[in-house]
Amino acid sequence: GDSVTQMEGPVTLSEEAFLTINCTYTATGYPSLFWYVQYPGEGLQLLLKATKADDKGSNKGFEATYRKETTSFHLEKGSVQVSDSAVYFCALSDWAAGNKLTFGGGTRVLVKP
Amino acid sequence: EPEVTQTPSHQVTQMGQEVILRCVPISNHLYFYWYRQILGQKVEFLVSFYNNEISEKSEIFDDQFSVERPDGSNFTLKIRSTKLEDSAMYFCASSEEQGLGQPQHFGDGTRLSIL
């Protein structure tokens, strides 16, 4: 079945540092890929998405590129802020197979001033 | 911005008791989902619901679970006889459509604690 693997945290960074969170996937079909973010005490919020190979999703300074050849969707941000401290989830869905989301384990990011 | 709302935020229940978790999806959304996250584990799909029917369910969603859309706004998850291992955060989600790349919008979750 489909699966998502992402790097384990916690990831601790200083403000203005570069952030990368690795995500790789296995899927039987041609999935859409998502990054969700969960701030403390809140639910999952969509951060960005990509639906086909070489698409780049971007939002709030975060970017991720759908790499079919390496089955990856790594999340990057060039200069993190304290407010980026959260748990980040990589996920995929295959709309032809019901559109359910399959999540990675989540990566906790802590940005220190 | 429209939100998915879930109540209660925290539910404590004795083992063996029935529990109903409530969700109000975004008003123009047609597809509804429940997920759960046991502490320290991945977010797992439970069930999807469309047009007053279950579209898909996971192995977790056994006979102890049921979902219902009792009126035009609420979407509920019932656990008939709770077990200790049902303790988890339960997330409701909804989406407008079910096409390519359609995002699901999540509520803040209900933390269910079984004693």
Side-chain angles (χ1 to χ4, degrees), chain B residues 6-8 11 18-24 33-36 44-49 54 57 60-62 64-70 74-80 82 86 88-92 110 112:
Chain B
Q6 290 186 243
T7 55
Q11 174 80 45
E18 175 184 286
V19 66
I20 297 176
L21 309 182
R22 302 182 190 280
C23 170
V24 179
Y33 310 84
W34 283 101
Y35 295 81
R36 78 172 185 189
E44 303 171 289
F45 168 77
L46 292 179
V47 66
S48 58
F49 191 85
I54 290 175
K57 59 184 181 180
I60 303 166
F61 195 89
D62 61 22
Q64 293 300 310
F65 290 88
S66 63
V67 289
E68 192 178 28
R69 188 155 164 81
N74 289 282
F75 179 51
T76 61
L77 173 69
K78 182 194 290 186
I79 308 175
R80 207 179 328 276
T82 51
D86 294 327
M89 181 73 88
Y90 288 80
F91 293 105
C92 173
T110 293
L112 177 63

Side-chain angles (χ1 to χ4, degrees), chain A residues 37-39 41-45 89 101 103, chain B residues 4-6 8-9 21-23 32-39 41-47 67 75 77 88-94 104-112:
Chain A
V37 59
Q38 185 178 32
Y39 299 104
E42 298 184 14
L44 299 163
Q45 300 177 25
F89 293 90
L101 286 166
F103 285 89
Chain B
V4 175
T5 56
Q6 290 186 243
S9 57
L21 309 182
R22 302 182 190 280
C23 170
F32 314 114
Y33 310 84
W34 283 101
Y35 295 81
R36 78 172 185 189
Q37 185 181 27
I38 295 172
L39 189 63
Q41 298 185 23
K42 290 187 177 185
V43 177
E44 303 171 289
F45 168 77
L46 292 179
V47 66
V67 289
F75 179 51
L77 173 69
M89 181 73 88
Y90 288 80
F91 293 105
C92 173
S94 68
Q104 294 176 24
H105 299 263
F106 284 77
D108 287 348
T110 293
R111 181 170 299 283
L112 177 63

Side-chain angles (χ1 to χ4, degrees), chain A residues 4-67:
Chain A
V4 176
T5 302
Q6 60 182 107
M7 59 189 288
E8 290 191 21
V11 174
T12 304
L13 302 164
S14 297
E15 216 167 12
E16 299 183 2
F18 185 86
L19 170 68
T20 298
I21 304 176
N22 290 338
C23 171
T24 57
Y25 67 91
T26 59
T28 51
Y30 199 140
S32 298
L33 303 175
F34 304 85
W35 277 99
Y36 280 83
V37 59
Q38 185 178 32
Y39 299 104
E42 298 184 14
L44 299 163
Q45 300 177 25
L46 178 68
L47 183 59
L48 52 84
K49 69 175 185 180
T51 58
K52 62 183 188 296
D54 300 323
D55 263 3
K56 179 186 284 188
S58 62
N59 186 25
K60 299 182 181 179
F62 290 89
E63 293 183 341
T65 301
Y66 191 143
R67 300 288 187 202

